[in-house]
Amino acid sequence: MTKETLYERLGGRDGISAVVDEFYDRLVEDESLGPFFEDADLERLRRTQTDFLCEAAGGPETYDAEPVREAHLHVPFTEAHIARAVEILSETLDEYEVPDEDAEKVVQAIAQYQDELLARPDD
């Protein structure tokens, strides 16, 4: 018997996509983070974030979008913004009843890119 992967426990692409959709709905509605998404292509963001999390969770999808650093150089995120986004992600995962251990793996998959998200062109 093979052990179920994180990807499978999260419901595969459909389950991960549902979490990502809710996560972006919450980001857009958030007072401090919403302004970052005013001119964003949310459909593309949702698709690439879903691919990213699917790959990170051991699924067959491949994240083939622009590297995280380059994709966010124009976005003036602060550490507080990243912390708020992680908080929203955690709340979303909780709402979908993702077990704590699996939720932590998802959060860490994104949180490990904090330096890239905070990078500036002159870095």
Side-chain angles (χ1 to χ4, degrees):
M1 176 187 269
T2 61
K3 189 173 183 178
E4 193 175 44
T5 65
L6 177 59
Y7 177 82
E8 293 164 334
R9 291 192 305 273
L10 293 172
R13 183 172 186 85
D14 289 343
I16 292 169
S17 180
V19 169
V20 168
D21 285 345
E22 177 65 23
F23 173 57
Y24 273 92
D25 287 348
R26 291 173 182 222
L27 289 174
V28 168
E29 293 173 5
D30 187 78
E31 186 176 301
S32 64
L33 298 174
F36 290 115
F37 299 95
E38 287 177 355
D39 296 322
D41 180 348
L42 287 172
E43 183 177 323
R44 182 182 62 80
L45 289 173
R46 290 171 195 262
R47 184 179 59 252
T48 58
Q49 186 68 48
T50 298
D51 288 345
F52 172 80
L53 287 176
C54 285
E55 181 179 318
E61 292 81 2
T62 301
Y63 175 78
D64 62 359
E66 188 174 20
V68 174
R69 182 183 189 280
E70 285 73 18
H72 294 86
L73 283 176
H74 69 285
V75 184
F77 287 137
T78 65
E79 288 185 24
H81 292 127
I82 303 300
R84 179 65 183 135
V86 167
E87 180 181 357
I88 291 170
L89 177 59
S90 295
E91 291 168 357
T92 305
L93 293 164
D94 188 52
E95 181 173 307
Y96 277 81
E97 299 180 356
V98 174
D100 291 345
E101 185 176 325
D102 287 344
E104 183 61 26
K105 289 177 183 176
V106 172
V107 168
Q108 287 306 312
I110 293 176
Q112 71 179 332
Y113 287 94
Q114 179 168 320
D115 289 345
E116 287 89 341
L117 293 167
L118 295 172
R120 296 292 165 258
D122 57 345
D123 290 346

